[in-house]
Amino acid sequence: MEQNDTTTTNLPFAVNEWGSHPDEGNDDCWTGQDFATFEEARARFDELREKLADGAVELVGPGVHEVYDTGRRDKPEDSGSWQREMAMEAGMLHGVDAYNEMMGCDVGYDEY
C-alpha cells in the first residue's frame, strides 16, 4: 500500500489544529484539512489563528512550515472535561445511572 505523502498529491498543503505545539511530540492533532494551493491554505490558517482559543494551528506544505501557538492549553479542571472523562468511565463500568450521578444529575426515579 502506497503511503499518502503531501508532496505527491493534488493537495500538497495542510492546515492542522493541535492541542499543543506540533513540535512537542504529542499525538494531539485535533483535525486537519488539505488544500490544493498555498493561498487557500493561508486563508484557512489565518481564519483559525483569529478564532483559536487554545492550542496551536500549523500550516505545512512544500517549502512552508508555520505554527501559531497560543501558549494556552485546555485545562481539564477548567473545562469540565475531567469530570466528563470520569463520568464516561463510571458509565462504562456501571451504566447510565453511574454516568448521570458522576455528572451531578438527579438519578432518582419517580414512582409510577
Side-chain angles (χ1 to χ4, degrees), residues 6-56:
T6 58
T7 61
T8 62
T9 68
N10 294 336
L11 303 171
F13 297 96
V15 176
N16 305 308
E17 290 182 76
W18 294 81
S20 61
H21 195 287
D23 297 338
E24 289 179 2
N26 297 319
D27 189 19
D28 61 356
C29 183
W30 294 335
T31 187
Q33 189 175 3
D34 297 327
F35 297 91
T37 68
F38 173 76
E39 291 75 19
E40 293 172 321
R42 166 56 76 185
R44 180 66 176 150
F45 178 83
D46 291 341
E47 177 185 334
L48 288 173
R49 191 179 64 193
E50 291 298 318
K51 69 179 189 175
L52 192 67
D54 60 8

